[in-house]
């Protein structure tokens, strides 16, 4: 009898565990899908411990032994983090003089974000993408919470990316550049229609090198391609509502040292403070919220008309 009770007891808790797991899975599904059936950006926001260790520099150009160590010592995820910290893609790190490398390489790049993890100023803003010209980095925020950050290569000295508040306009998975018809721009998302400026996949050589656009790694270009909302237009030129706000701010020191190399002497050298970012955002918040409200109204009217 005692043995039979133990067996029944075990069966009860096994069934209970399956039931709770089912409830948990259903809850997760509810939390990860929005009303329109799209993935909920809020579900992608994870709390990640901020890296607080040190950095060092290693010389790589012309040093095959060190590049071989780099290739073999680190995992794919760790190499991705190191190259992102140096604003490089996987094809071009052998051409730079040196790399800045964290003493402890965590696999989650979010741990190394120079952007604040939370901004109260943006709590009412549904979505925004911010590009820092000084640090050659972008951040995506949802209701003031940092969703993602990554490296970029913005306009070179003689073709600088226009700063200020922009809005995501139209997008195309593959787009031929209006500057040079040999340039195929993948995951292209325009933010300045008449000027032809936008973000897209292209080479990251560790310096601002683009012709005004905002170059990204493929993973980031694809991510922002899905994350941002396009404008709502009627016909070809009647803008009913703006897309996701995009702030490009600051200036790059083209004559100075690459700012991320300063991490070796000061691990917090690239940290962007809340006050600094608030100062850049405050002049635009009213406009951002105005356009956001306008879009919500247009979308609501469109839904009502469709029903």
């Amino acid at each position: 009898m005692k043995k039979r009770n133990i067996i029944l007891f075990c069966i009860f808790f096994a069934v209970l565990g399956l039931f709770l797991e089912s409830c948990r899975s259903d809850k997760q599904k509810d939390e990860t899908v929005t009303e329109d059936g799209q993935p909920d950006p809020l579900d992608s926001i994870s709390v990640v411990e901020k890296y607080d260790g040190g950095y060092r520099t290693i010389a790589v150009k012309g040093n095959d032994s060190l590049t071989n160590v780099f290739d073999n010592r680190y995992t794919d995820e760790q190499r991705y983090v190191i190259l992102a910290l140096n604003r490089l893609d996987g094809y071009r790190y052998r051409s730079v003089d040196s790399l800045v490398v964290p003493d402890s390489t965590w696999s989650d790049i979010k741990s190394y974000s120079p952007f604040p993890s939370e901004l109260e100023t943006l709590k009412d803003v549904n979505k925004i993408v911010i590009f820092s010209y000084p640090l050659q980095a972008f951040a995506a925020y949802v209701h003031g919470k940092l969703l993602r950050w990554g490296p970029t290569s913005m306009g070179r000295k003689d073709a600088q990316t226009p700063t200020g508040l922009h809005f995501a306009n139209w997008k195309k998975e593959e787009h031929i550049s209006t500057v040079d018809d040999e340039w195929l721009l993948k995951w292209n998302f325009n933010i300045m229609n008449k000027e032809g400026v936008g973000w897209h996949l292209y080479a990251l050589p560790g310096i601002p090198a683009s012709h005004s656009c905002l170059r990204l790694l493929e993973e980031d270009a694809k991510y922002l391609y899905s994350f941002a909302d396009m404008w709502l237009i009627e016909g070809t030129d009647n803008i009913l509502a703006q897309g996701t706000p995009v702030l490009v701010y600051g200036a790059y020191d083209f004559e100075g040292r690459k700012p991320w190399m300063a991490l070796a002497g000061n691990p917090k050298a690239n940290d962007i403070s809340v006050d600094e970012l608030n100062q850049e955002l405050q002049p635009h918040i009213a406009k951002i919220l105005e356009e956001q409200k306008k879009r919500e109204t247009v979308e609501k009217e469109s839904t009502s008309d469709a029903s």
Side-chain angles (χ1 to χ4, degrees):
M1 176 64 89
K2 184 176 180 181
K3 183 176 181 181
R4 179 172 177 272
N5 288 339
I6 293 174
I7 294 174
L8 291 174
F9 185 77
C10 292
I11 293 174
F12 170 77
F13 274 95
V15 173
L16 178 62
L18 291 172
F19 173 75
L20 292 175
E21 177 62 22
S22 175
C23 292
R24 188 178 70 86
S25 298
D26 290 341
K27 183 178 181 182
Q28 286 180 332
K29 290 177 183 177
D30 290 340
E31 291 174 345
T32 58
V33 178
T34 59
E35 292 181 359
D36 60 0
Q38 297 300 311
D40 187 351
L42 285 170
D43 184 66
S44 300
I45 300 177
S46 56
V47 178
V48 177
E49 182 182 356
K50 176 78 171 177
Y51 176 73
D52 60 357
Y55 296 82
R56 66 188 186 282
T57 56
I58 59 172
V60 290
K61 191 172 183 179
N63 194 331
D64 291 338
S65 60
L66 280 179
T67 52
N68 288 335
V69 168
F70 178 78
D71 289 338
N72 298 317
R73 176 179 177 181
Y74 300 102
T75 65
D76 291 342
E77 292 81 6
Q78 290 173 326
R79 284 196 298 272
Y80 176 87
V81 168
I82 293 172
L83 293 178
L85 287 171
N86 289 272
R87 300 352 183 219
L88 294 164
D89 59 43
Y91 301 100
R92 288 163 182 83
Y93 79 90
R94 290 174 180 266
S95 64
V96 299
D97 293 329
S98 57
L99 296 174
V100 61
V101 179
D103 293 337
S104 178
T105 309
W106 299 349
S107 59
D108 194 334
I109 190 175
K110 203 171 177 182
S111 300
Y112 301 89
S113 171
F115 294 92
S117 60
E118 193 165 0
L119 285 166
E120 183 70 14
T121 304
L122 294 175
K123 65 181 178 62
D124 295 323
V125 177
N126 295 340
K127 295 179 183 180
I128 188 171
V129 182
I130 300 173
F131 284 85
S132 167
Y133 219 132
L135 291 185
Q136 296 293 287
F138 81 87
Y141 283 90
V142 174
H143 291 292
K145 296 184 182 298
L146 179 64
L147 182 65
R148 189 183 185 97
W149 87 276
T152 181
S153 174
M154 298 167 64
R156 60 181 186 259
K157 187 175 182 179
D158 62 346
Q160 297 184 38
T161 306
T163 57
L165 179 65
H166 311 287
F167 292 90
N169 297 331
W170 52 268
K171 64 181 181 179
K172 195 172 182 181
E173 287 190 18
E174 292 190 352
H175 176 67
I176 302 298
S177 171
T178 55
V179 176
D180 188 328
D181 59 12
E182 293 186 359
W183 296 349
L184 178 63
L185 313 178
K186 293 186 176 182
W187 310 109
N188 185 70
F189 213 134
N190 178 272
I191 64 170
M192 297 182 71
N193 189 36
K194 293 182 179 180
E195 293 80 0
V197 176
W199 68 66
H200 54 74
L201 163 65
Y202 217 76
L204 264 64
I207 56 173
S210 80
H211 194 282
S212 301
C213 283
L214 310 114
R215 298 181 182 182
L216 298 171
L217 296 172
E218 183 168 20
E219 289 184 26
D220 294 328
K222 291 173 70 173
Y223 187 90
L224 291 185
Y225 187 88
S226 299
F227 170 76
D229 298 316
M230 292 191 297
W231 59 10
L232 301 176
I233 60 172
E234 186 177 62
T236 57
D237 56 3
N238 182 23
I239 302 174
L240 301 178
Q242 298 286 1
T244 297
V246 181
L247 178 67
V248 181
Y249 80 90
Y252 186 82
D253 183 2
F254 290 93
E255 309 304 324
R257 187 188 186 200
K258 297 174 184 177
W260 41 92
M261 300 306 294
L263 291 171
N266 176 10
K268 299 185 182 299
N270 286 186
D271 285 1
I272 304 170
S273 70
V274 171
D275 289 343
E276 178 185 346
L277 212 45
N278 281 342
Q279 187 175 352
E280 299 292 341
L281 287 163
Q282 282 295 349
H284 307 291
I285 291 297
K287 176 66 173 176
I288 291 171
L289 293 177
E290 176 189 340
E291 293 296 339
Q292 179 175 290
K293 185 176 181 180
K294 183 178 180 181
R295 183 183 182 93
E296 290 171 348
T297 300
V298 171
E299 289 177 332
K300 185 176 181 180
E301 291 175 350
S302 177
T303 302
S304 299
D305 292 341
S307 60

